[in-house]
Amino acid sequence: MKRKKRPLGPVVEIVLMAIFVSILCLIFNLIDLSGYKTEAGTFETTLIIINNIFSKEGIKHLLNNTLVNFQTLEPLILVIVSLIAISVMEASGLLKQVFTPFKSIKSKYITMLVIFVGIISTIIGDYSYALLLPLAGIFYKYIGKNSSLGVLTMFIGITAGYGTGIIYNYQAYELGNITELAAQSITASYNYELLSNIFLLIVSTLALTIVGTIVMEIFGKKYSRNEVTDNLNISKKASRVTLIVFIILMILFAYCIIPGLPHSGILLDKTEPTYIGKLFGTGSILSHGLMILIVGILIICGFVYGIISKNIKNSGNYSKVLTKSFEGTGYIFVLLFFSNILYEIIDWTNFSTVISTNIIDFVGATQISGVGLVILAFISIVLISVLIPASVEKWQLIAPIYVPLLMRANISPAFTQTIFIAADSIGKLFSPIYIYLIITVGFMYKYEKDADESIFTIMKKIMPVIGIMLLVWIVVVLGWYLTGMPIGINSSITL
C-alpha cells in the first residue's frame, strides 16, 4: 500500500521560501535586474536594485536586525495583547454565555454572520485579525462546529473583503490621499472623496457575503464537529450586570471620539480636516491606543462576569485565567519568528519591490484600453499583492503609474482605486508571505494538533474558494464598468 505523502510543515516551508528568495536575489543581482519607483506627488523616479543577501552586508544586516525587528513585529504584539483579553472572557464563562445560544441557528446563517462580520470588521484595520481569528475558533467550539474551520472562515471573510464593507477605515483615507496625488498629475484640481465608491463597495460586500457563505458551507463539510467539555457556569445575573457595564464603557468610549461636546473628543487628532483623519490620524490617541482600549473593555467585562458567575474564584485565580487562550498557541510564535527572517530577506534585498515595479512598468507601457485595460490592471495588482501584501505600501508603488494611465483611458481615479481594493484582497488570500495567513495557520494548529496542515496545503484546499471570490470581484468590477452606473456619491466610472 502506497504511503500518503506528508506535507513539509509550515516552518520548513517558510525556511525553504527564504532560501529560494535568497537564491533568486543572488541570480537577479548578478544579471543587474532593477526597477524604477515613482513617487506620488513629485513623480520623481528612483532606481531600485536587488541586493544579494549572501554578501557581507546582507549577512551582517540579517544578524543585526532579525531579533530587533522581531521584538517590534506588530502582528506579534497584537496577537499577544488580544489573547490576554480573550483569555479572561473565555475563562470567565462570558464567551460561553454569549456564543452558546447560536448553537440552535442553522449552519448557513452562522457562516454568513462570520463572513459579514469579517468584512465589516476591517474598520479597525489589522486589529480585526488579531481579535477575530481566535474568537472565531472559540465561537465555533461553543456551537459545536470545527474551530479550525471557524478560524479559516473568518480569515477569508476579513481578507476577501479587506478595504470594502459599509464603513470606512483609515486605510481608505490613506489610499484616497495617494490616489489624489497621483490624479493631480493629469488634473491638478482633482479631489478624492471618501464616499466616491460607496455604492460599489456596498454591493460587493453583499455579494461576497452571499457567495462566500455558499462556498464555505460546501467547503466546511470536510471538517468534523467539536465537542465542548468545559464545566463553566452560565449566569443570567452575571450577563445582565456585564451588559450594563459594557454599555457604560461604550458610552464613555463614544464620548471620547465625538467632537464638539464639552470636554469630548479627547482621543481625536483635532488637526485633521476629516473625521476619519481625526479618528485614525498619526496624532490621534485612538489610532495608537485602540487595541489597548478594546482589550481594556473586554478584560473588565470578562472580570465582572467571572466574579458574579463564580467562574473566577479570587485574585490568584484571575491571574491564571489571563493565560487561558494561550494554550496551544506556541506554534504561532514559532511561525512568526521564522517568517520574520523571510520578511527581513525580502525587505533588504528589494526583491518584491523590483519585481513589482517591472510588472507596473509593463502595464504602463501597454496600449490596451477599455475592458482589456481594466482586466490587465486587476490581474497585475493580484500578482503584485502576492509579493507585497501591505496595501498602502503597494498603492504607493502602483498609483503614480496606474491612476494617470487609466485616466488617459477615461477611467476615473475612484474606480481605479476600487480595482486596486478588489485585486488587493484576492492577492492576499493566496500570498504565502502574508503574515496573517501565517497566523491563521498557527491558530488552525491550535485546534488541529494532529492535522497534516501546512501553508501550501491550506492554500491548495481553499483555492476553489479563492477562485470563486475572484470571480465575484471580477463580475462586480466589470459589471459596473460595462453598465456605467455611478459608483458612489457624485462619482462615476468615467471622468
Side-chain angles (χ1 to χ4, degrees), residues 36 119 279-280 285 372 423:
Y36 286 92
I119 292 173
L279 280 174
F280 299 112
I285 298 174

Side-chain angles (χ1 to χ4, degrees), residues 251-409:
I251 290 172
L252 291 173
F253 174 75
Y255 198 80
C256 291
I257 60 173
I258 296 175
L261 299 176
H263 307 293
S264 68
I266 61 171
L267 298 178
L268 302 176
D269 179 1
K270 297 180 181 179
T271 63
E272 290 281 349
T274 65
Y275 184 64
I276 290 292
K278 292 180 191 295
L279 280 174
F280 299 112
T282 54
S284 164
I285 298 174
L286 181 68
S287 67
H288 299 291
L290 179 60
M291 192 64 172
I292 299 298
L293 290 168
I294 293 173
V295 166
I297 291 171
L298 297 180
I299 287 176
I300 292 170
C301 291
F303 177 75
V304 170
Y305 186 92
I307 291 296
I308 297 174
S309 66
K310 301 190 185 309
N311 288 318
I312 298 177
K313 310 296 183 186
N314 49 53
S315 59
N317 181 230
Y318 181 68
S319 298
K320 290 181 180 179
V321 304
L322 289 169
T323 63
K324 171 70 175 176
S325 293
F326 283 87
E327 296 170 3
T329 59
Y331 204 65
I332 296 173
F333 307 118
V334 173
L335 290 177
L336 287 178
F337 173 75
F338 285 98
S339 297
N340 181 62
I341 297 172
L342 172 61
Y343 302 144
E344 279 299 309
I345 293 171
I346 292 173
D347 181 62
W348 188 84
T349 58
N350 296 320
F351 172 76
S352 294
T353 303
V354 171
I355 301 298
S356 298
T357 54
N358 278 275
I359 294 173
I360 292 166
D361 289 342
F362 170 78
V363 174
T366 60
Q367 302 299 314
I368 301 174
S369 61
V371 173
L373 180 58
V374 171
I375 293 174
L376 181 60
F378 186 95
I379 293 173
S380 65
I381 294 169
V382 170
L383 295 175
I384 294 169
S385 297
V386 175
L387 297 168
I388 307 176
S391 300
V392 174
E393 177 187 345
K394 180 165 59 251
W395 192 226
Q396 287 173 332
L397 278 177
I398 296 172
I401 304 298
Y402 280 29
V403 171
L405 175 68
L406 271 69
M407 287 179 75
R408 295 187 187 99

Side-chain angles (χ1 to χ4, degrees), residues 124-287:
I124 59 173
D126 288 353
Y127 296 152
S128 57
Y129 286 108
L131 282 169
L132 295 182
L133 288 178
L135 278 175
I138 299 170
F139 178 44
Y140 270 47
K141 178 183 77 172
Y142 281 123
I143 62 174
K145 297 188 72 174
N146 187 281
S147 293
S148 183
L149 176 63
V151 172
L152 191 57
T153 303
M154 183 60 78
F155 170 77
I156 289 172
I158 296 172
T159 310
Y162 204 101
T164 180
I166 56 178
I167 308 173
Y168 281 97
N169 61 11
Y170 189 63
Q171 175 183 283
Y173 176 69
E174 290 184 291
L175 294 179
N177 287 338
I178 297 168
T179 300
E180 185 175 287
L181 286 173
Q184 287 174 352
S185 67
I186 302 296
T187 304
S189 60
Y190 178 82
N191 289 308
Y192 180 84
E193 300 293 337
L194 274 175
L195 298 177
S196 61
N197 55 4
I198 186 64
F199 300 157
L200 194 153
L201 295 184
I202 290 174
V203 169
S204 66
T205 297
L206 297 175
L208 289 168
T209 300
I210 294 169
V211 176
T213 298
I214 295 170
V215 295
M216 286 308 296
E217 277 294 288
I218 297 171
F219 177 80
K221 292 178 181 178
K222 303 174 184 178
Y223 286 81
S224 60
R225 299 179 71 85
N226 282 337
E227 294 294 332
V228 182
T229 57
D230 69 47
N231 57 355
L232 295 171
N233 302 320
I234 289 180
S235 167
K236 290 184 179 180
K237 178 183 177 182
S239 63
R240 287 194 296 268
V241 175
T242 303
L243 178 60
I244 293 170
V245 171
F246 177 73
I247 291 172
I248 292 171
L249 291 173
M250 290 306 297
I251 290 172
L252 291 173
F253 174 75
Y255 198 80
C256 291
I257 60 173
I258 296 175
L261 299 176
H263 307 293
S264 68
I266 61 171
L267 298 178
L268 302 176
D269 179 1
K270 297 180 181 179
T271 63
E272 290 281 349
T274 65
Y275 184 64
I276 290 292
K278 292 180 191 295
L279 280 174
F280 299 112
T282 54
S284 164
I285 298 174
L286 181 68
S287 67

